[in-house]
Amino acid sequence: MKIAVISDIHGNKLALDAVLEDIKKQNCDKIFCLGDIAMAGYDPNYTIEKMMEMQITMGRNFEIIQGNTDKLIAQYSDTKFLEVSKKSSPMAHALANDVLIIKKENVNFLKGLPQDKMVDIKYKKRTMRLHLVHGSPRRQDENIYPYLEMSKVESIVSRSFSDVVFCGHTHIPCGFVLNSGQQVINVGSVGRSMIPARMPVYVVLEINDNGTFEIEHKFINYDNKKVSRLIASRGFTGADELAKMFLAE
């Protein structure tokens, strides 16, 4: 069995389509999405509606949770705008512009998503418990970075009784094998990757017939320069600055 885990699409249609095409080539049986579907991209309605379509067509083979920016869109207010502005003015203006263009039914879809989900995978001789979170088991916006000390990671996931915790949020892929044997995997970002090459990243979990499993990050080539131009063309305050984040270092 193969399971693809994706996160942080951020309204990037081109990146999402490229990743879904690769997932098809990998012959994955299931797809799990860890949220941050729409904000600060060039086509937020497309990426939300693609998730809605997959939920219908894939049924129980598709799982999705809410990311922190999905929650910002769903609960948008002047107060939320000011909170985001303190961290990043371009992101705050992207959020405000997103709220104007995202369809009401799509906002309602984001609003109804769960903040995390436990998924039991029964396959052949093995049952695996997977914990799907956006930032961490504790908070939607908690960062699990590759440079964290093992003791810190163990503290963050201490209340997650699972074989594997899958997270996103930081846009930087990494993984930890804890002393307990539990694994913590940051799958990276599909739509706004923060690795130097700015390539979309996702994860494939493969469960073997003998009960063992393997986890691999997949890196996908796509036209990030085109996406940068499309982001800049949205024209909100700071769009040009945000567009630069999609260009390789």
Side-chain angles (χ1 to χ4, degrees), residues 35-152:
D36 274 13
I37 301 161
M39 184 175 149
Y42 72 91
D43 198 343
N45 282 305
Y46 175 86
T47 53
I48 297 171
E49 288 165 8
K50 191 66 177 179
M51 296 300 103
M52 295 165 71
E53 174 192 319
M54 291 166 66
Q55 192 173 57
I56 293 170
T57 59
M58 295 184 67
R60 297 181 68 179
N61 288 324
F62 180 73
E63 301 284 356
I64 186 168
I65 62 170
Q66 183 190 72
N68 65 301
T69 63
D70 301 323
K71 188 174 182 178
L72 284 172
I73 292 169
Q75 299 183 354
Y76 182 74
S77 66
D78 291 342
T79 300
K80 295 292 183 186
F81 176 84
L82 291 174
E83 288 176 1
V84 178
S85 292
K86 292 177 182 178
K87 299 178 181 179
S88 170
S89 177
M91 289 297 288
H93 286 284
L95 170 62
N97 194 255
D98 284 333
V99 170
L100 293 176
I101 65 176
I102 296 176
K103 300 172 187 177
K104 183 177 180 181
E105 58 267 31
N106 293 347
V107 173
N108 288 336
F109 175 76
L110 299 180
K111 186 181 296 185
L113 295 175
Q115 290 196 20
D116 74 314
K117 186 175 288 189
M118 283 285 189
V119 181
D120 287 335
I121 302 295
K122 296 180 180 180
Y123 183 67
K124 304 274 182 166
K125 299 178 181 179
R126 183 176 181 87
T127 297
M128 290 184 67
R129 169 156 283 197
L130 311 177
H131 196 177
L132 310 183
V133 303
H134 182 70
S136 80
R138 301 191 301 196
R139 296 200 320 270
Q140 274 184 325
D141 61 352
E142 186 168 28
N143 299 313
I144 296 181
Y145 285 119
Y147 55 75
L148 288 183
E149 294 182 1
M150 190 72 73
S151 59
K152 176 65 173 177

Side-chain angles (χ1 to χ4, degrees), residues 3-9 16 19-20 23 30-37 51 54 62-65 132-134 166-168 187-191 201-204:
I3 301 170
V5 189
I6 63 176
S7 189
D8 295 273
I9 301 164
L16 176 60
V19 166
L20 291 178
I23 289 172
K30 298 176 181 288
I31 300 176
F32 298 161
C33 178
L34 307 181
D36 274 13
I37 301 161
M51 296 300 103
M54 291 166 66
F62 180 73
E63 301 284 356
I64 186 168
I65 62 170
L132 310 183
V133 303
H134 182 70
F166 285 111
C167 64
V187 305
S189 171
V190 168
V201 187
Y202 77 102
V203 153
V204 172

